[in-house]
Amino acid sequence: MQLKEMNQEALSLLQNTCQAQYQAFQAAGLKLDMSRGKPSPKQLDLTNGMQTCLSASDYTAENGLDCRNYGCLDGLPEAKAFFAPMLGLKPEDVIVCGNSSLNMMYWAMSLAMTNGVLDSKPWGKYDKVKVLCPVPGYDRHFAVSQFLGMELVNVPMQADGPDMDMVEQLVSTDDTIKAIWCVPMYSNPGGVVYSDEVMKRFAALKPKAADFRIFWDNAYCVHHLTDHPPVQANLLEEARKVGNEDICYLFASTSKITFPGSGVALMAASERNLASLKKALGFSTIGYDKLNQLRHLRFFDGKYENLVAHMKKHKDLIAPKFRIVIDTLQRELGELGIANWSEPLGGYFISFNQTGCAKRIVQLCKEAGVVLTGAGASFPMGVDPKDENIRISPTYPTEEELQKAMEVFTCSAKLAALEQVL
Amino acid sequence: MQLKEMNQEALSLLQNTCQAQYQAFQAAGLKLDMSRGKPSPKQLDLTNGMQTCLSASDYTAENGLDCRNYGCLDGLPEAKAFFAPMLGLKPEDVIVCGNSSLNMMYWAMSLAMTNGVLDSKPWGKYDKVKVLCPVPGYDRHFAVSQFLGMELVNVPMQADGPDMDMVEQLVSTDDTIKAIWCVPMYSNPGGVVYSDEVMKRFAALKPKAADFRIFWDNAYCVHHLTDHPPVQANLLEEARKVGNEDICYLFASTSKITFPGSGVALMAASERNLASLKKALGFSTIGYDKLNQLRHLRFFDGKYENLVAHMKKHKDLIAPKFRIVIDTLQRELGELGIANWSEPLGGYFISFNQTGCAKRIVQLCKEAGVVLTGAGASFPMGVDPKDENIRISPTYPTEEELQKAMEVFTCSAKLAALEQVL
């Protein structure tokens, strides 16, 4: 029965049951952390071989370059060739960087502030610079822009990507809008896969600001939870078809493929953008860690299909965890009609919505020993206008911990809903 | 006999001899590259053990942190403890970063442009921002500031550091001067060791701009060419003594200790600066490569004296090369009185000066198959006002190649001098 159909007596009965459950959770002294989208130790074990796959004499690139020394600003040629398929691109479209794609995004946006894009005026020289933020979205994206002094403008996410009517209307009329943040596949946190229609509308955008850039963070492009993942059109290729290829910067990394913090980041862009970015890169570093690029190549034996097979092992470890979350949500909340949640085909998050209750649920969970990502984290400045969204990160805890945590979570969700109506 | 004392006949005779030599060099079809301050392959071999010093199960920090996963923004505690002595500081003064100290310097200066220092107005919001550049100096330092839109102001280097009378006069009267670049030990290229007197004057600087920062690149702090290296006062400690500790950012790296591009960078600053920098760091990365920090700790067995011993092995390989350069310069040019050069006690360069001849010498060398760093490279915008300075990098070539290259070099120097007088 839906909560809204219950009479006072039924509501009170449910509340009593939930409160008893909740007190039992509190008494159990739980300490569970679901706040971060981190791989579990078992997932990391999949990559342990990377620690030992370089011998003491294995440091020479295919072109003879000594990877122990200076040189090779934009990544080993064989690393470009190896990783380009991750983004569905050619080696010449890609540069292979250091250990953090977030760092590349920060660098690229900071660079636009200090030096503009291509030959534009530096963004920092304008009185006002805005960035579009599809919400709910990734807090660290929004934080980068906010830190750099940009104004954040919310755009609602829909089932097939950001509201493109709104995006087109805004960027075509307001030249203070210089960028948009996108996670096109398995968006953080909603798990949305942008449709080809959305992708093509992005590729064909005609912004009023010529120095507008799409920051396209394809963080989860190979992070599937099914054996038959969706196939997505390629933004850079689509943009090339309509002569608009300078509009986007693409990013990805191996942080959740090999080791977070010890992985390899990728950036891709048009030929003109890449030429300009490489020139700028030469001022900001002498080069990235080529031995770590080599380590990745050796670990996967230089074969992209080995990376794909490796991602299936990740899937085998984390898909059951997503199942636990969704099954528990369905079992405990399905009939009540108080909430909805995503059932993503990939990525690292489940997005949960219960209007007016997000903060309260996070608080109740915390008081019962389950730490969640803060309510509002998926919105610019941490402000969720409907106080409804919670990002659930199922990957790090064990299945047992996760099951327990989801029981606390659903109990808290029911209590929060009851507090609203009683 | 000095060149200026020679009569026409002696000059012509010398020219004939040099031209014959030069033609023989050209005929030999040499291909020698002395353009870069790179370690030689033999030096890199000293560190090969770092490729294999982490076992597949060795990824846990002393505090239990799994170094394979996210977390630990500012470096492993044991890495801070291990590397702090390099800068003569305490672990809490230091953060341990990624593979490039140049990248940290770019980041810190770019950050000052976009966000200021501590709570100051962003440098980029001023119409004009200047940086002091001790010359000759490191081209990449100057290039960072130029790229970020700063105006470069030359300050002459003296035997004990930059001309401090000029530095004090400029920074105390001109609040558009926001920074100065320094390489305090074995400066690039002059090999100058800043005196304690100079250090103390830096520590006590009273800039008109409260947001002025000394960018103190201690790139060669443990890169000695003697067994009894000079001992230098510590800028941050000296600045603390006079309550001026927020004035400086310190940098160093293991690029020329372990592997360039696969090393570890360090940054040090006052408590207030570090708190502000760490906050900013949280927007620009999720963290650095902790496994590579662990790799460094394991390779040196966590003992700083092993790093010191390792640097003696570098010294044993490169000191003879510096000897070859200096002996050849002395033998071939010593009596002629046309040039002078540094005899550094450490670092990677010998600075050579021959007024009005630098470009011509580089050209002559190139045409005889010896590539040098471009003349003027050690000056802002590549403009050496006296066309006199050439940076000689002895480390990369073999001793045999270096001997040959220096013969070409000294022959070219003589020819250039003769062209001036004949």
Side-chain angles (χ1 to χ4, degrees):
Chain A
M1 189 190 285
Q2 294 218 339
L3 197 83
K4 64 184 176 191
E5 293 163 356
M6 290 185 186
N7 61 21
Q8 203 65 20
E9 194 185 353
L11 290 169
S12 289
L13 188 64
L14 181 60
Q15 192 177 39
N16 289 343
T17 314
C18 291
Q19 277 172 344
Q21 267 189 319
Y22 185 77
Q23 281 158 17
F25 291 134
Q26 283 190 308
L30 301 174
K31 274 200 176 179
L32 302 172
D33 191 338
M34 291 178 59
S35 66
R36 298 279 309 278
K38 290 165 71 171
S40 68
K42 280 194 181 172
Q43 285 179 268
L44 299 172
D45 287 345
L46 297 175
T47 307
N48 282 349
M50 212 173 69
Q51 299 256 65
T52 54
C53 66
L54 277 190
S55 73
S57 60
D58 185 4
Y59 46 73
T60 311
E62 286 172 13
N63 62 5
L65 183 81
D66 187 334
C67 295
R68 302 171 303 175
N69 217 329
Y70 291 113
C72 188
L73 180 66
D74 60 344
L76 296 177
E78 56 262 54
K80 292 182 188 180
F82 179 76
F83 286 114
M86 252 176 72
L87 288 166
L89 293 169
K90 301 205 180 81
E92 57 268 30
D93 299 323
V94 174
I95 60 176
V96 185
C97 308
N99 75 323
S100 162
S101 57
L102 183 73
N103 182 246
M104 296 312 295
M105 295 177 229
Y106 173 88
W107 170 75
M109 195 163 268
S110 163
L111 179 67
M113 292 298 283
T114 55
N115 291 64
V117 299
L118 296 176
D119 294 322
S120 84
K121 179 171 157 180
W123 292 359
K125 296 288 184 196
Y126 291 95
D127 289 334
K128 183 176 282 197
V129 183
K130 295 181 198 157
V131 60
L132 300 186
C133 301
V135 290
Y138 181 33
D139 51 347
R140 284 182 177 270
H141 285 164
F142 306 156
V144 166
S145 294
Q146 188 191 345
F147 181 69
L148 291 172
M150 301 171 81
E151 193 177 310
L152 314 182
V153 178
N154 290 13
V155 172
M157 281 292 285
Q158 300 180 330
D160 61 348
D163 179 338
M164 290 308 294
D165 290 343
M166 185 186 281
V167 169
E168 286 166 353
Q169 194 270 328
L170 286 169
V171 305
S172 65
T173 55
D174 183 350
D175 65 3
T176 69
I177 297 174
K178 300 292 186 194
I180 184 170
W181 287 109
C182 293
V183 179
M185 195 163 216
Y186 313 132
S187 70
N188 174 349
V192 172
V193 179
Y194 289 19
S195 71
D196 287 357
E197 169 67 19
V198 163
M199 180 88 66
K200 285 172 189 178
R201 288 173 76 176
F202 268 117
L205 269 187
K206 293 274 173 278
K208 192 166 181 204
D211 52 353
F212 174 90
R213 288 292 178 276
I214 302 167
F215 281 67
W216 195 256
D217 181 6
N218 219 334
Y220 307 108
C221 52
V222 293
H223 303 62
H224 310 299
L225 288 168
T226 69
D227 286 330
H228 302 286
V231 176
Q232 196 174 45
N234 185 292
L235 179 67
L236 185 58
E237 290 304 329
E238 293 299 323
R240 276 181 175 138
K241 285 182 197 165
V242 293
N244 204 21
E245 63 271 19
D246 293 339
I247 202 169
C248 54
Y249 293 160
L250 286 65
F251 304 90
S253 83
T254 71
S255 291
K256 294 186 182 83
I257 299 173
T258 58
F259 292 140
S262 301
V264 165
L266 312 176
M267 186 169 177
S270 71
E271 197 176 348
R272 280 196 344 135
N273 277 332
L274 270 194
S276 169
L277 290 166
K278 283 186 210 175
K279 195 175 155 218
L281 204 58
F283 294 99
S284 56
T285 185
I286 298 195
Y288 293 104
D289 187 340
K290 297 182 294 297
L291 290 173
N292 203 36
Q293 294 180 14
L294 212 55
R295 207 172 276 125
H296 278 72
L297 288 162
R298 297 292 181 268
F299 178 67
F300 291 117
D301 199 17
K303 293 180 184 132
Y304 186 70
E305 63 259 36
N306 289 343
L307 185 149
V308 173
H310 184 76
M311 291 314 292
K312 289 205 173 160
K313 295 183 199 162
H314 278 290
K315 185 212 76 174
D316 291 343
L317 289 170
I318 67 176
K321 296 183 179 178
F322 279 77
R323 198 69 263 155
I324 286 170
V325 172
I326 289 162
D327 286 351
T328 312
L329 290 171
Q330 183 57 40
R331 188 181 70 230
E332 297 293 329
L333 306 179
E335 288 187 356
L336 293 174
I338 57 174
N340 63 72
W341 50 87
S342 61
E343 299 197 16
L345 300 175
Y348 260 61
F349 303 104
I350 288 164
S351 184
F352 176 90
N353 291 297
Q354 184 171 329
T355 306
C357 293
K359 280 187 189 158
R360 181 62 181 148
I361 296 171
V362 170
Q363 183 196 10
L364 283 166
C365 283
K366 188 179 173 192
E367 289 169 8
V370 175
V371 179
L372 298 169
T373 309
S378 298
F379 291 77
M381 334 290 280
V383 178
D384 176 357
K386 295 185 193 165
D387 183 30
E388 67 178 0
N389 187 254
I390 296 174
R391 186 178 85 174
I392 299 176
S393 311
T395 54
Y396 189 78
T398 64
E399 294 184 22
E400 294 68 30
E401 289 167 341
L402 186 63
Q403 183 61 60
K404 183 61 75 182
M406 286 313 297
E407 282 160 18
V408 174
F409 181 90
T410 49
C411 176
S412 300
K414 283 184 261 191
L415 283 172
L418 288 160
E419 286 172 8
Q420 270 185 329
V421 294
L422 279 169
Chain B
M1 190 191 282
Q2 294 218 337
L3 197 82
K4 64 183 176 191
E5 293 164 354
M6 291 185 186
N7 61 22
Q8 204 66 19
E9 194 186 354
L11 290 170
S12 289
L13 189 65
L14 181 59
Q15 193 176 37
N16 289 344
T17 313
C18 291
Q19 277 172 342
Q21 268 190 319
Y22 186 77
Q23 281 158 17
F25 290 134
Q26 284 190 305
L30 302 172
K31 273 199 176 178
L32 302 171
D33 191 339
M34 290 177 60
S35 67
R36 298 279 308 277
K38 290 166 70 170
S40 68
K42 280 195 181 172
Q43 286 178 268
L44 299 173
D45 286 346
L46 298 174
T47 308
N48 282 348
M50 212 174 67
Q51 300 255 65
T52 54
C53 67
L54 277 190
S55 74
S57 60
D58 185 5
Y59 46 72
T60 311
E62 286 172 13
N63 62 6
L65 184 81
D66 187 336
C67 296
R68 302 171 302 174
N69 217 330
Y70 290 114
C72 187
L73 180 65
D74 60 345
L76 296 176
E78 56 261 55
K80 292 182 187 180
F82 179 76
F83 286 115
M86 252 176 72
L87 287 167
L89 293 170
K90 301 206 180 81
E92 58 268 30
D93 298 323
V94 174
I95 59 176
V96 185
C97 307
N99 76 322
S100 162
S101 57
L102 183 73
N103 182 246
M104 295 313 294
M105 295 176 228
Y106 173 88
W107 170 76
M109 196 165 267
S110 164
L111 180 67
M113 293 298 284
T114 55
N115 292 64
V117 299
L118 296 178
D119 293 321
S120 84
K121 180 171 157 179
W123 293 359
K125 296 288 184 195
Y126 291 95
D127 289 335
K128 182 177 284 196
V129 183
K130 296 182 198 157
V131 60
L132 300 185
C133 301
V135 289
Y138 181 32
D139 51 348
R140 284 182 177 271
H141 285 165
F142 306 156
V144 165
S145 294
Q146 189 191 345
F147 180 70
L148 290 172
M150 301 172 80
E151 194 177 310
L152 313 182
V153 179
N154 290 12
V155 173
M157 280 293 285
Q158 300 180 331
D160 61 348
D163 179 337
M164 290 309 293
D165 290 343
M166 185 186 282
V167 169
E168 286 167 351
Q169 194 271 327
L170 286 169
V171 305
S172 64
T173 55
D174 183 350
D175 64 3
T176 69
I177 298 174
K178 299 292 187 194
I180 184 170
W181 286 109
C182 293
V183 180
M185 196 163 215
Y186 314 133
S187 71
N188 173 350
V192 172
V193 179
Y194 289 19
S195 71
D196 287 356
E197 170 67 19
V198 163
M199 181 87 67
K200 285 172 188 177
R201 289 174 74 176
F202 267 116
L205 270 187
K206 294 272 172 278
K208 192 168 180 202
D211 52 352
F212 175 90
R213 287 293 178 277
I214 303 167
F215 280 67
W216 195 255
D217 182 5
N218 219 335
Y220 307 108
C221 52
V222 293
H223 303 63
H224 310 299
L225 289 167
T226 69
D227 286 331
H228 302 286
V231 176
Q232 196 173 43
N234 185 292
L235 179 67
L236 185 57
E237 289 305 329
E238 293 299 324
R240 276 181 175 140
K241 285 182 198 166
V242 294
N244 204 22
E245 63 271 18
D246 292 339
I247 202 169
C248 54
Y249 292 160
L250 286 65
F251 304 90
S253 84
T254 70
S255 290
K256 293 185 181 85
I257 298 174
T258 59
F259 292 140
S262 302
V264 165
L266 313 176
M267 187 169 177
S270 71
E271 196 175 350
R272 279 193 349 132
N273 277 332
L274 270 195
S276 169
L277 290 165
K278 282 186 210 176
K279 193 175 157 218
L281 204 59
F283 295 100
S284 56
T285 185
I286 298 195
Y288 293 106
D289 187 339
K290 297 181 294 296
L291 291 173
N292 203 36
Q293 294 180 14
L294 213 55
R295 207 172 275 124
H296 279 72
L297 288 162
R298 297 293 182 266
F299 178 67
F300 291 117
D301 200 16
K303 292 179 184 133
Y304 186 69
E305 64 260 34
N306 290 343
L307 185 149
V308 174
H310 184 76
M311 291 314 293
K312 290 206 170 158
K313 295 182 197 163
H314 277 290
K315 185 212 77 177
D316 291 343
L317 289 170
I318 67 176
K321 296 183 179 180
F322 279 77
R323 197 71 264 154
I324 286 170
V325 172
I326 289 162
D327 286 351
T328 312
L329 290 170
Q330 183 58 38
R331 188 182 69 231
E332 295 295 328
L333 305 180
E335 288 188 357
L336 292 174
I338 56 175
N340 63 71
W341 51 88
S342 62
E343 299 197 16
L345 299 175
Y348 260 60
F349 303 104
I350 287 164
S351 184
F352 175 91
N353 291 298
Q354 184 172 331
T355 306
C357 293
K359 280 187 190 159
R360 181 62 179 148
I361 295 171
V362 171
Q363 183 196 11
L364 284 165
C365 283
K366 188 178 173 191
E367 288 169 8
V370 175
V371 179
L372 299 169
T373 308
S378 298
F379 290 78
M381 335 289 279
V383 178
D384 175 358
K386 296 186 191 165
D387 184 29
E388 66 177 0
N389 186 254
I390 295 174
R391 187 178 83 173
I392 300 175
S393 310
T395 53
Y396 189 77
T398 65
E399 294 184 22
E400 295 67 30
E401 289 166 341
L402 185 64
Q403 183 61 59
K404 182 60 76 180
M406 286 313 298
E407 283 161 17
V408 174
F409 182 90
T410 49
C411 177
S412 300
K414 283 185 261 190
L415 282 172
L418 288 160
E419 286 172 9
Q420 270 186 328
V421 295
L422 280 168

